[in-house]
Amino acid sequence: MCGRYTLAGTNPGLLRERFQLAPETVIEPHFNIAPGQDALVVRTDHDGQRTPDQLRWGLVPHWAKDPKIAYRMINARAETAAEKPAFREPLEHRRCLVIADGFYEWQVLGPRRKQPWWMTLPGHEPFAFAGLWATWRPPGRDDVEPLRTFTILTTHAPDDLRQIHDRMPVILPREAEATWLDPQAVSGEIHDLLVPRPGLERRAVGPAVGDANNDFPDLLLAVEPLTAAEPAQAPTLF
């Protein structure tokens, strides 16, 4: 899964250039983006032009009765998204780029013992997760401002990451981002993009990232990784 990510180290001007965003697009650094928070995504408008937006993380399908469903919809499994009612229509018509430069995973080492890792592309360059978005209003309330939300697609982890976690977010190749946003792209093209990304850099970080209220640069400081807990030794009588 993907439960936290970052957009921390990239110059805003370079980021706007990288994703073809308007000069007035406001981009702020974040070191611990969590579900339920607004985050930068890129969609296309009716004319096919790229449009930056701040959407809420946790998809709320248009047919949902309660927006609390979002907390079960922060990720969509790439293998089954086309079959799920919440994701089928967005996968076909409402794809977006979720802008990031790293993400966190927690390696389980034993009971109540986890090591968080920060994963990045080599050189910490920015990238885009494959995202889906949706618009929701309370039932029967077309007069209120819609809630726009997104989810991040995940796939199985490559061999070099599987010791940390068996899933990872889909990181789109740069040359595939236009296809992902293209409303005319056919399902086969889209499906072929939902693959693991090997060769990521990783860094063990401290437990403070586990608190979603923490959002500061020191979260990314490297630490000595924890090791698996040693089994308890039976007491000796002699």
Side-chain angles (χ1 to χ4, degrees), residues 4 32 106 114-116 204-212 214 219 223 226:
R4 302 288 175 81
N32 194 13
W106 278 258
K114 295 182 180 181
Q115 172 61 62
V205 295
V209 70
D211 186 340
N214 292 334
L219 294 177
V223 302
L226 299 173

Side-chain angles (χ1 to χ4, degrees), residues 2-234:
C2 176
R4 302 288 175 81
Y5 68 94
T6 62
L7 184 57
T10 306
N11 178 286
L14 295 177
L15 202 61
R16 286 189 284 266
E17 181 180 356
R18 162 70 174 80
F19 290 100
Q20 304 171 39
L21 306 179
E24 63 271 16
T25 303
V26 176
I27 301 175
E28 298 180 350
H30 289 288
F31 304 88
N32 194 13
I33 300 170
Q37 297 178 358
D38 291 349
L40 176 66
V41 307
V42 176
R43 304 181 289 142
T44 53
D45 60 21
H46 295 297
D47 297 321
Q49 300 300 309
R50 294 191 177 198
T51 302
D53 208 345
Q54 294 285 328
L55 271 57
R56 185 78 45 84
W57 186 10
L59 193 90
V60 181
H62 69 88
W63 42 260
K65 295 181 179 180
D66 191 325
K68 291 180 181 178
I69 194 175
Y71 292 98
R72 305 199 307 270
M73 302 284 185
I74 66 169
N75 293 155
R77 294 177 70 94
E79 300 90 336
T80 58
E83 306 165 10
K84 302 294 184 180
F87 306 130
R88 184 188 306 121
E89 194 271 344
L91 183 62
E92 188 172 349
H93 299 294
R94 292 190 174 90
R95 298 183 296 272
C96 63
L97 307 178
V98 181
I99 310 305
D101 59 12
F103 65 96
Y104 299 102
E105 288 292 4
W106 278 258
Q107 181 182 17
V108 178
L109 298 171
R112 300 185 180 180
R113 188 176 179 85
K114 295 182 180 181
Q115 172 61 62
W117 295 83
W118 185 52
M119 313 283 194
T120 67
L121 292 183
H124 302 172
E125 64 177 282
F127 56 81
F129 295 129
L132 310 175
W133 67 277
T135 298
W136 179 86
R137 285 187 175 93
R141 294 297 308 276
D142 291 343
D143 58 320
V144 303
E145 188 70 20
L147 173 65
R148 290 187 172 86
T149 61
F150 73 94
T151 189
I152 295 172
L153 284 147
T154 66
T155 186
H156 63 275
D159 291 342
D160 59 344
L161 293 183
R162 203 162 294 157
Q163 69 203 56
I164 294 176
H165 202 282
D166 62 351
R167 304 287 297 176
M168 70 170 293
V170 174
I171 297 175
L172 295 168
R174 183 170 182 171
E175 64 273 14
E177 292 167 3
T179 300
W180 183 254
L181 287 177
D182 183 0
Q184 304 304 317
V186 298
S187 59
E189 290 179 291
I190 296 304
H191 183 268
D192 289 346
L193 302 178
L194 304 179
V195 295
R197 182 70 172 262
L200 298 182
E201 294 183 357
R202 69 190 76 173
R203 176 191 301 173
V205 295
V209 70
D211 186 340
N213 293 315
N214 292 334
D215 186 9
F216 46 81
D218 283 359
L219 294 177
L220 301 183
L221 293 178
V223 302
E224 188 69 25
L226 299 173
T227 57
E230 295 292 333
Q233 298 293 321

